[in-house]
């Protein structure tokens, strides 16, 4: 948009400049022509040449100057808007990178700590239920806890994928 405004500015400046015109015509009139009240025959050999030279000076240069100034202001506005959007994208990129780092930390926690603990909870609950140390309700509660941990692990993977999609979206803007 800034380039368009700049080119429009050049066009407006060019329209404010004077126009020079040069023209040349060469023709023949075949037949009888009345000159000073007498008919005279002109053949193909009689040629008429005309040369035109002119300068067109724009009288409304003040309006052109105002349009040029308006386009300059529009260009400055577009530059400021582009700078604002650039800073906004940089901020979004930084925030998304921070989010990605947090998501990876959470994923690593689930993979290295929470999932092994969930497996231990299931093994202990199965052993406790077989030996009669815990009731069926306690056994189901332990399975529910292990399942919640596994679900949170899968959600952490999904969150990483979503953050990567957001990063790619920001980078491609």
């Amino acid at each position: 948009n800034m380039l368009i405004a700049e080119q429009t500015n050049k066009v407006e400046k060019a329209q404010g400049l004077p126009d020079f015109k040069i023209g040349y015509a060469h023709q023949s009139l075949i037949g009888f022509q009345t000159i000073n009240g007498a008919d005279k025959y002109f053949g193909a050999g009689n040629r008429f040449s005309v040369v035109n030279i002119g300068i067109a000076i724009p009288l409304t240069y003040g309006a052109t100057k105002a349009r040029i100034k308006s386009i300059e202001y529009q260009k400055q506005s577009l530059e400021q808007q582009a700078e604002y959007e650039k800073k906004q994208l940089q901020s979004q990129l930084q925030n998304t990178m921070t989010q990605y780092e947090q998501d990876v930390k959470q994923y690593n926690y689930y993979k290295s700590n929470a999932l092994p603990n969930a497996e231990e909870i299931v093994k202990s609950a199965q052993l406790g239920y077989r030996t009669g140390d815990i009731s069926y309700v306690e056994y189901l509660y332990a399975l529910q806890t292990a399942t919640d941990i596994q679900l949170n692990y899968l959600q952490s993977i999904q969150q990483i994928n979503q953050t990567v999609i957001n990063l790619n979206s920001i980078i491609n803007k």
Side-chain angles (χ1 to χ4, degrees):
N1 286 340
M2 289 185 317
L3 292 175
I4 291 171
E6 189 174 317
Q7 295 303 321
T8 304
N9 194 8
K10 288 180 182 178
V11 169
E12 287 294 332
K13 283 181 181 179
Q15 287 178 348
L17 298 175
D19 285 336
F20 298 99
K21 297 180 182 183
I22 298 176
Y24 175 75
H26 188 72
Q27 71 181 45
S28 62
L29 299 173
I30 299 174
F32 289 97
Q33 304 293 326
T34 305
I35 297 177
N36 295 331
D39 285 340
K40 185 175 179 187
Y41 179 78
F42 290 94
N46 297 356
R47 309 288 290 172
F48 300 96
S49 299
V50 177
V51 175
N52 288 331
I53 298 175
I55 298 176
I57 300 173
L59 298 176
T60 59
Y61 186 71
T64 303
K65 191 174 179 182
R67 283 194 300 269
I68 291 170
K69 191 172 264 312
S70 170
I71 291 170
E72 279 295 322
Y73 289 143
Q74 182 183 10
K75 181 182 171 193
Q76 290 174 2
S77 171
L78 290 170
E79 286 174 351
Q80 292 297 323
Q81 183 179 356
E83 187 64 30
Y84 171 75
E85 289 177 6
K86 179 183 174 184
K87 288 180 181 178
Q88 198 173 27
L89 279 175
Q90 288 174 338
S91 175
Q92 286 178 350
L93 181 63
Q94 183 62 38
N95 291 342
T96 307
M97 286 299 293
T98 302
Q99 180 66 42
Y100 176 76
E101 290 170 3
Q102 290 174 352
D103 293 342
V104 168
K105 285 179 184 176
Q106 184 178 20
Y107 166 78
N108 288 334
Y109 165 75
Y110 279 110
K111 186 174 181 181
S112 62
N113 295 336
L115 281 180
N117 288 343
E119 289 176 16
E120 287 298 320
I121 290 171
V122 170
K123 287 179 185 177
S124 297
Q126 287 173 342
L127 181 63
Y129 182 68
R130 280 190 213 135
T131 59
D133 289 340
I134 61 172
S135 68
Y136 186 70
V137 173
E138 292 171 322
Y139 173 68
L140 289 178
Y141 180 72
L143 290 179
Q144 179 64 42
T145 302
T147 304
D148 287 344
I149 291 171
Q150 291 171 342
L151 180 62
N152 288 338
Y153 167 73
L154 294 175
Q155 285 176 340
S156 73
I157 293 172
Q158 190 272 336
Q159 184 60 42
I160 288 174
N161 290 336
Q162 186 62 45
T163 305
V164 168
I165 289 170
N166 290 343
L167 276 173
N168 286 330
S169 173
I170 292 170
I171 290 170
N172 291 327
K173 283 186 179 178

